[in-house]
């Protein structure tokens, strides 16, 4: 079963954008693995709390991401 897991900062995607991630990811897997993969493709969009992740040892916040 194809599986994709997107971790995104909480509150940065609308429900429509989350739906688009799910739909387009499923389409991509079906394109690569064939249409038989569509029904078994799982896409998980997880919202990470502000300050709950980092890069290079530095914790990032939404304010820092929006400023950059």
């Amino acid at each position: 079963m194809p599986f994709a897991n997107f971790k995104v900062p909480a509150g940065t995607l609308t429900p429509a954008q989350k739906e688009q991630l799910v739909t387009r990811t499923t389409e991509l897997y079906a394109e690569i693995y064939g249409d038989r993969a569509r029904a078994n493709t799982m896409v998980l969009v997880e919202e990470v709390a502000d300050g709950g992740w980092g890069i290079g040892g530095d914790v990032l916040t939404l304010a820092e991401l929006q400023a950059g």
Side-chain angles (χ1 to χ4, degrees), residues 7-15 17-18 47-48 53 62 65-66:
K7 294 182 186 290
V8 300
T12 59
L13 296 177
T14 66
Q17 289 170 320
K18 291 176 195 175
E47 291 189 298
V48 179
W53 62 293
L62 185 56
L65 291 173
Q66 290 173 335

Side-chain angles (χ1 to χ4, degrees), residues 11-26:
T12 59
L13 296 177
T14 66
Q17 289 170 320
K18 291 176 195 175
E19 183 177 346
Q20 185 177 24
L21 269 176
V22 171
T23 301
R24 291 180 70 179
T25 302
T26 302

Side-chain angles (χ1 to χ4, degrees), residues 28-58:
L28 178 61
Y29 274 127
E31 180 181 317
I32 292 170
Y33 290 106
D35 202 53
R36 61 186 163 74
R38 183 181 312 279
N40 297 311
T41 296
M42 180 177 179
V43 181
L44 179 62
V45 180
E46 292 184 273
E47 291 189 298
V48 179
D50 194 34
W53 62 293
I55 296 174
D58 297 319

